[in-house]
Amino acid sequence: MHSLRLISSSSTGPIYRLIYFNLKGRAETSRMMFKLAGVEFEDFRIDQKRWAEFKHMAPQGILPVLEVNGKKLPQSGAINRYIARELGFYGCNNWEASRIDAVVETIGDCLHDLDIWWMIRDLDVRNKLQKHHEGKLIPKALARLDQLLEENSEGRGFLVGDKISLADIHAMNYIHDYLPTLHNIKAEDSFPRLGDHARRIAEVSQIKEWIKIRPFSKF
């Protein structure tokens, strides 16, 4: 267990503490939004071997958890939306916010299926689900993301609107980390527009620096 504290130029405002394992997983989008906004937060990481000691302290008994001035918020989707609203990564109006939701939920469909896959112990069933996930579900999701990107500035800008949002950061993490690490899939092979988008977001200076210095984890 360790705590990595990220310092911004301002010490005013809410006190944020993001609690998760030493993984990118379901907390990395939140970390990147804090980093991109230059907002101080405590990146509190729990050793998975010691999770039983801390589980009773987590609302719903799950991670990640975001603490804001001591108040606890569970569920990664709720956490991401809260941070995005607070830090300006949730679009300029309700339409853009809803389009951001569409991107996040498209990726969420794949992550939900992945959660089921992790829990299956029967290897035959697991292999069949993995084949379906990688052969059908992921390509379908990537095609939908590619369409959303094409519909906004013909794919040359952001996924929603004219500035970086939760949608861009979340999609970049999925394409940059999840797919190649867990599935050996490179989105750019079939969807070069999505691959280019992920590279552009990863090259944003604050995100690029965070990727360089963040604690190592496989996924």
Side-chain angles (χ1 to χ4, degrees):
M1 176 186 69
H2 68 277
S3 174
L4 176 65
R5 199 163 184 82
L6 302 179
I7 306 298
S8 69
S9 59
S10 173
S11 59
T12 62
I15 298 173
Y16 295 111
R17 188 186 199 212
L18 184 62
I19 305 168
Y20 194 53
F21 303 111
N22 186 33
L23 302 170
K24 293 185 277 290
R26 291 185 179 273
E28 198 64 8
T29 293
S30 295
R31 293 176 182 131
M32 284 190 173
M33 284 191 287
F34 279 127
K35 188 63 178 174
L36 185 58
V39 170
E40 178 181 354
F41 77 104
E42 184 179 359
D43 185 13
F44 191 84
R45 300 181 181 227
I46 296 174
D47 188 324
Q48 288 175 284
K49 295 178 182 178
R50 299 187 60 192
W51 169 228
E53 299 176 35
F54 294 90
K55 189 173 182 178
H56 71 282
M57 301 170 61
Q60 303 180 4
I62 58 173
L63 295 179
V65 169
L66 175 68
E67 290 186 1
V68 184
N69 295 331
K71 295 185 292 185
K72 296 180 180 180
L73 178 66
Q75 295 289 349
S76 60
I79 291 168
N80 284 339
R81 288 190 294 272
Y82 177 83
I83 295 171
R85 290 189 187 101
E86 290 294 299
L87 303 186
F89 300 122
Y90 209 50
C92 295
N93 51 53
N94 192 42
W95 176 254
E96 289 192 1
S98 297
R99 295 283 288 188
I100 290 169
D101 286 342
V103 171
V104 172
E105 290 176 21
T106 298
I107 296 169
D109 290 341
C110 291
L111 296 182
H112 174 71
D113 200 61
L114 183 62
D115 286 341
I116 296 173
W117 181 81
W118 277 114
M119 293 186 289
I120 293 173
R121 292 293 175 260
D122 186 305
L123 290 180
D124 287 338
V125 175
R126 189 168 181 169
N127 289 337
K128 287 178 182 177
L129 182 59
Q130 182 176 3
K131 186 176 180 180
H132 171 75
H133 187 76
E134 295 177 352
K136 294 184 177 181
L137 188 61
I138 289 176
K140 190 177 292 184
L142 291 176
R144 290 168 177 165
L145 290 175
D146 190 62
Q147 180 181 355
L148 289 168
L149 181 59
E150 195 277 335
E151 289 171 358
N152 193 58
S153 302
E154 298 181 346
R156 293 189 292 269
F158 303 104
L159 274 160
V160 178
D162 59 3
K163 64 178 183 178
I164 195 169
S165 73
L166 165 61
D168 301 294
I169 299 167
H170 200 55
M172 186 276 290
N173 279 322
Y174 182 65
I175 291 167
H176 189 272
D177 288 323
Y178 269 91
L179 291 184
T181 302
L182 296 178
H183 303 289
N184 196 29
I185 292 175
K186 295 182 179 180
E188 59 266 30
D189 289 345
S190 300
F191 300 94
R193 189 160 42 200
L194 282 179
D196 179 65
H197 171 266
R199 282 191 295 272
R200 284 189 283 109
I201 300 303
E203 284 295 314
V204 173
S205 59
Q206 299 95 323
I207 292 176
K208 184 177 182 179
E209 179 62 21
W210 171 242
I211 291 173
K212 187 187 302 183
I213 68 170
R214 65 188 176 186
F216 172 78
S217 65
K218 192 172 182 179
F219 58 88

